[in-house]
Amino acid sequence: MASDHTRSAILAAAERLYADRGFGDVTLRDIVAEAGVNLAAVNYHFGSKDELIAELFVTRSIATNRERLRELKAAEEQGGGRAPIEVILHALVGPTLRGCLGPENQRSTAARFMIRASIESVPPIRRIKNREIDHLRKFAGAMRRALPDRSDVDIYWGLNFALAMAHHTIRESERLTKLSEGKCDLDDVEDVVSRVVSVATMALTAGKAETKAPARVAAR
Amino acid sequence: MASDHTRSAILAAAERLYADRGFGDVTLRDIVAEAGVNLAAVNYHFGSKDELIAELFVTRSIATNRERLRELKAAEEQGGGRAPIEVILHALVGPTLRGCLGPENQRSTAARFMIRASIESVPPIRRIKNREIDHLRKFAGAMRRALPDRSDVDIYWGLNFALAMAHHTIRESERLTKLSEGKCDLDDVEDVVSRVVSVATMALTAGKAETKAPARVAAR
DNA sequence: GATAGTTTCATACAACTGTTTGAATTGCAA
DNA sequence: TTGCAATTCAAACAGTTGTATGAAACTATC
């Protein structure tokens, strides 16, 4: 019914501003100015500022989660209900890394927004992240099936470390570039993914029967 | 000259409140009420709210950094200028993890404050963290000496992943406990440290000449 | 005990925040 | 056209925030 024009103009403007300047110093007035709409429009269409932020974040994060599960499901079906651990980990961290890294000049607004969301932790986003546990449990299940000898504790630690490496690399990508004087190429996303997967795989399989050496994609 | 009483009362109250409720919703008025001093005292003694936060964070983080360097130096001196990679990594992540984890009921205010600081990323703290690069370079140097065959890129990635696992585990300790239904024991700090060190060591030594298997401390 | 310097205090300031209101406008159906 | 609901708008609201001010109280020195 509604033209929806104002609504999506707000969403686009908000995402752009949050991506560029962070949640801390973007006010509703900044957003409506950028969107060219009236101040009251935000509350009319979204209810509150927090709900606007939540909608932005939910949209992007269900897209990522769907992609993760799609990859996971495809892998498990192909393997008859059991996928190799590398592939599971790839499905876990691949979509996130691909969604947030990549050459800066061609990095989408959505990507920059998600980086912000992972650096600054504002209440509405934190609330949503806390509901991610069910989603992660699905991966824990797949990992258990892939490594039936492994204890639950080790599985959870492996999962934790995989997410750790992915998220920290996103959060601190600038610092890593500076620290390594550009030697670590964060733009080569597939290299980053395979590094994370490789280390997480080692973490999960160390001290047990041999698995095939995790493939390392050549940089650039 | 000054009695210093007001000053330290403010520091203590601020640290306590920030630790409990986060930076987001603690105002100067909350702090001075808790400290039992006048509102103007904060600006008189610290200049501004941001400088108060910065002083809190700097105090704690130089303590951690000093401890890190102390461990590193001791290890390198004992090894004649070259320390085993496990020990270097231990010096890198041990102090941080020990300072932030541990049984909740006996967790110090300082520890809880540092956890907050690593979850919420407020401007004055971010500014300080950005100056940590020189400190990290010292560890990169030690790691290079320990693993002369390794490329710089691999060294930096290993360093990045070690910090990733430590910081993410601190940030998301609550979620990991919930996800694992308590199976991952975050209170057993030395177990956490050795898990992180062990994985980071594997990341740095994989595919090269054998090193001795990193020691795994039994839990509890 | 007067003096000078430091510290405390109550209070006001000035700016900014997200939100609400009620009237104006628009778009669409009858 | 008329009528009705959805949308837009300017304006104000109500609250909070960090900071500044100038007088009062205190402290130590001479």
Short mmCIF file of all heavy atoms in Angstrom, two decimals, chain A residues 14 40 63 92 121 126 146 181 194:
data_model
loop_
_atom_site.label_atom_id
_atom_site.label_comp_id
_atom_site.label_asym_id
_atom_site.label_seq_id
_atom_site.Cartn_x
_atom_site.Cartn_y
_atom_site.Cartn_z
N ALA A 14 20.73 5.43 6.64
CA ALA A 14 21.23 5.01 7.95
C ALA A 14 22.39 4.04 7.78
O ALA A 14 23.43 4.17 8.44
CB ALA A 14 20.11 4.35 8.75
N ALA A 40 10.35 13.05 11.94
CA ALA A 40 9.38 12.14 12.54
C ALA A 40 9.22 10.84 11.77
O ALA A 40 8.65 9.88 12.29
CB ALA A 40 8.03 12.84 12.67
N ALA A 63 20.78 -12.89 6.20
CA ALA A 63 21.33 -13.23 4.89
C ALA A 63 22.60 -14.07 5.05
O ALA A 63 22.77 -15.09 4.39
CB ALA A 63 21.63 -11.95 4.10
N LEU A 92 31.03 -22.11 7.92
CA LEU A 92 30.83 -21.27 9.11
C LEU A 92 31.45 -19.89 8.96
O LEU A 92 30.80 -18.88 9.21
CB LEU A 92 31.43 -21.98 10.34
CG LEU A 92 31.32 -21.26 11.68
CD1 LEU A 92 29.88 -21.20 12.15
CD2 LEU A 92 32.20 -21.92 12.73
N SER A 121 29.64 -2.29 19.80
CA SER A 121 28.62 -3.24 20.22
C SER A 121 27.48 -2.47 20.88
O SER A 121 27.51 -2.22 22.06
CB SER A 121 29.22 -4.25 21.18
OG SER A 121 28.34 -5.30 21.40
N ARG A 126 23.47 -6.22 20.13
CA ARG A 126 23.88 -7.25 21.07
C ARG A 126 22.73 -8.20 21.37
O ARG A 126 22.90 -9.40 21.49
CB ARG A 126 24.38 -6.60 22.36
CG ARG A 126 25.62 -7.28 22.91
CD ARG A 126 26.28 -6.41 23.97
NE ARG A 126 26.11 -4.98 23.69
CZ ARG A 126 26.37 -4.03 24.55
NH1 ARG A 126 26.81 -4.33 25.76
NH2 ARG A 126 26.21 -2.75 24.22
N ALA A 146 31.07 -34.96 12.14
CA ALA A 146 32.29 -35.10 11.35
C ALA A 146 33.44 -35.68 12.17
O ALA A 146 34.33 -36.34 11.63
CB ALA A 146 32.68 -33.74 10.78
N GLU A 181 52.63 -4.12 7.97
CA GLU A 181 53.05 -3.19 6.91
C GLU A 181 52.56 -3.64 5.55
O GLU A 181 53.30 -3.60 4.56
CB GLU A 181 54.58 -3.06 6.92
CG GLU A 181 55.08 -2.31 8.15
CD GLU A 181 56.57 -2.48 8.37
OE1 GLU A 181 57.05 -3.63 8.19
OE2 GLU A 181 57.23 -1.49 8.72
N SER A 194 40.87 -19.53 3.94
CA SER A 194 41.54 -20.83 4.02
C SER A 194 42.54 -20.87 5.17
O SER A 194 42.78 -21.92 5.75
CB SER A 194 42.19 -21.17 2.68
OG SER A 194 43.38 -20.46 2.52
#
